[in-house]
Amino acid sequence: MPWYLYLALKQLFPTGRRFPFFTAISILGVALGVAVLVISTSVMGGFGHEIRRWTVETTGDVQVRADDGAINNPAEFLAQLTKIPGVVAATPFAEGYVMLEHGLKPAFPVVQGIDVDRVSGVIPLEHYIHYGSLADLDDDSIILSVQLAMAVGARVGDKVEIHTPLEYEKFKNDEVLVPRELRVTGIFEIGHPALDSSLVLVTLRTMQDLYGRRGSVDGFNLKISPGLDADTAAARINAALPPALHGHARSWMEINHDLIFIIQLEQNMIFFLLTFIIIVAAFSVTSSLLISVVRKTREIGLLGALGGQPRQVAACFCFQGFIIGLGGTIAGFGLGFTVLHFRNGIIYLFTRLTQSEAALARFYQFKELPRYSDPSYMIAIVVCTIVICTLAGLLPAWGAARLKPVEALRSE
Amino acid sequence: MSEPVLSACGLTKSFLSGDRRIEVLRGIDLEVVAGESVSIRGESGSGKSTLLNLLSGLDTPETGTLAWAGAPAQGGRRAEFLGMVFQSFYLIPEIDAFQNVLMAARMRKVPGQAERARALEMIARVGLTERARHLPGQMSGGERQRVAVARALMNSPRLLLADEPTGNLDEHTGDAVIELLLGLCRETQTALVLVTHNAAYAQKTNRQLFLREGKLSHG
Ligand SMILES: Nc1ncnc2c1ncn2[C@@H]1O[C@H](COP(=O)(O)OP(=O)(O)OP(=O)(O)O)[C@@H](O)[C@H]1O
Ligand SMILES: [Mg+2]
């Protein structure tokens, strides 16, 4: 090891000293900044990932809808779709609003008609059904989302009444109002409060009946082959669909474009703002190293007398900044990942103490804090921290290199 | 007679103090050959330290020429050509005695087994084998100056410049350090320029010079 690197290490970690105070404090300062960065970008990344999960797992990778409302020839449409290379599976859906009543409690969910045979190829629905099963869904039954089921007090096996806008039409024609009665065969929970409180699933045929749609659907959810980018796939589908079908495909990213954009923006802003924590920590490193240069003036003069070159003396101090940056990064990642690992326990404690569990779920739409440590952010954190800390050593290094050995040795 | 290790010719140096120029050195001629020891005495402020700084190449003269072993003095050659001992010991406090001595070798190249052995040998020569692993803060002034001497001689320099090496030591310890310096230099045929206030120490050198009014003189 060249002498200046050796000396840099020794100044940070002097021989025989267990706990070099200056070094520990400097590294800790940087580490705290890094930990905060790691935690917040990971949690933000987790939000992004959750959005991806629940959109892809509820609408598929790509969704195709008709340009003008309903698709009246779903069989033909489906045949065309499945012919397109890259489309692994497709399932039709039809949706609308209904009033659901159980006991005397009403709810106004979105009802989605699904093709029980096809849906599993696109959306892992069974995975989210906690009570009952998808296989039991027939034309006289319904699957409720968990929050909604709780709100109206319905359980598997109970009967619920469904009122649709169609009844209103009948009412105008003086017909008798007969709400549709459906049996609850399952309850699902996706983990997203909005979906978990306002969605119910029925068969496609039931949905068509409820709305009097005579076989039309609203669109198709598609699964595309793994590895294929959803945007590319959507573009390919748009190019391949016969114009006569008037279909338009959109990827899950396009559908959630605004949300994804905002999350990305927030993630970037957080990264940008929190980088200042590291800059502040770096300033304290600079001032400590400056003090050390002043304190060691005579030794630095001696290094010159022993034959050290000014740029080597400078390297010695820059390297100290680098080591602090490196140590801070490692410690910060350790700390950050530890906190992330126990994040739910920590959040739980926090919300218990502040009694804000409900608020958390309501505002952030999550019951558990998601986490995704995007490698590109992690790399950016490492690089920024080390660069900033090395730069922090620059001013002291320059000061040290400027010292003339003769004057340094003369100084008292 | 062999080629001089050090040859200075017509060195001058002045300092600006306020708007007055103080002519500290007004033409120094000095030649020192291998194995020779030279003492320089002079009043405080006469320019002894200034002269040593010129001889070591740490400072540049206004006029005059300086040659080390016949070739012009250059900063890059300093580490291998000469060693220095000062009134203050200037040991690096974070590393032990052994590493302080080894530092001189480290400045030139990454030390290997040979350099480590040499550093241990130098420590032994100054009688500090027991103290090799001690930090400067754990040693007395005399011991620290001995470490500094070992460091100065670590690279087997051709020339040793000592600026009042006993200035911070009591008489007894000072005697020991001077004996050590002279002995080691004689043994290794290292030329020595010793700045001292002590006439007794000066007497022990081959040649006694005085610095007065910017010039060197005998007796
Ligand atoms: N960098 C400088 N700037 C201004 N004046 C200086 C500088 N260096 C030395 N001098 C002046 O040069 C003169 C000689 O100084 P020097 O340190 O060489 O004396 P010295 O003989 O070593 O004295 P002492 O025995 O006290 O160590 C002094 O008057 C000092 O004030
Ligand atoms: Mg002096």
Side-chain angles (χ1 to χ4, degrees), chain A residues 407 410, chain B residues 15-16 24 43-50 164 197:
Chain A
E407 279 154 31
R410 279 182 75 89
Chain B
F15 292 106
L16 262 186
V24 180
E43 286 171 18
S44 182
S46 57
K48 305 182 294 298
S49 297
T50 306
E164 289 183 57
H197 285 294

Side-chain angles (χ1 to χ4, degrees), chain A residues 30-39 41-42 271 278 325-341 371 373-386:
Chain A
V30 175
L32 286 176
V34 170
V36 169
L37 257 176
V38 166
I39 293 166
T41 51
S42 294
F271 182 83
I278 292 178
L326 190 68
T329 306
I330 293 169
F333 267 81
L335 185 64
F337 281 146
T338 310
V339 170
L340 282 172
H341 184 78
R371 175 248 172 115
S373 302
D374 186 340
S376 55
Y377 272 108
M378 298 303 122
I379 291 170
I381 293 170
V382 172
V383 173
C384 284
T385 310
I386 292 180

Side-chain angles (χ1 to χ4, degrees), chain A residues 18-29:
Chain A
R18 273 276 174 65
F19 188 74
F21 207 65
F22 153 70
T23 312
I25 295 287
S26 303
I27 287 180
L28 189 67

Side-chain angles (χ1 to χ4, degrees), chain A residues 89-207:
Chain A
T91 183
F93 67 89
E95 59 194 4
Y97 287 93
V98 292
M99 180 175 114
L100 180 149
E101 211 175 7
H102 179 254
L104 282 172
K105 294 190 191 122
F108 302 87
V110 170
V111 61
Q112 194 168 79
I114 55 172
D115 183 331
V116 180
D117 299 328
R118 295 189 155 272
V119 73
S120 299
V122 179
I123 296 161
L125 252 186
E126 318 84 45
H127 185 71
Y128 296 113
I129 297 183
H130 294 331
Y131 305 98
S133 92
L134 180 64
D136 293 344
L137 187 67
D138 58 22
D139 294 346
D140 291 313
S141 56
I142 186 166
I143 295 177
L144 306 182
S145 50
V146 64
Q147 304 281 342
L148 184 126
M150 279 190 332
V152 299
R155 298 161 179 237
V156 173
D158 288 358
K159 296 223 152 129
V160 295
E161 288 181 355
I162 303 289
H163 304 267
T164 66
L166 196 61
E167 287 175 29
Y168 182 65
E169 292 295 318
K170 289 183 180 168
F171 176 68
K172 283 200 285 192
N173 299 339
D174 286 335
E175 289 180 42
V176 191
L177 287 184
V178 192
R180 182 77 178 260
E181 238 188 18
L182 297 175
R183 191 170 28 84
V184 178
T185 56
I187 290 173
F188 70 82
E189 180 170 23
I190 291 174
H192 178 238
L195 293 176
D196 286 343
S197 62
S198 68
L199 184 66
V200 299
L201 302 172
V202 295
T203 62
L204 201 52
R205 191 146 353 112
T206 308
M207 175 61 203

Side-chain angles (χ1 to χ4, degrees), chain B residues 99-121:
Chain B
Q99 287 292 352
N100 262 290
V101 174
L102 193 58
M103 198 70 196
R106 221 182 258 282
M107 306 292 289
R108 298 174 59 195
K109 68 192 259 285
V110 178
Q113 215 43 53
E115 284 76 16
R116 285 168 190 280
R118 164 91 182 151
L120 279 180
E121 183 200 325

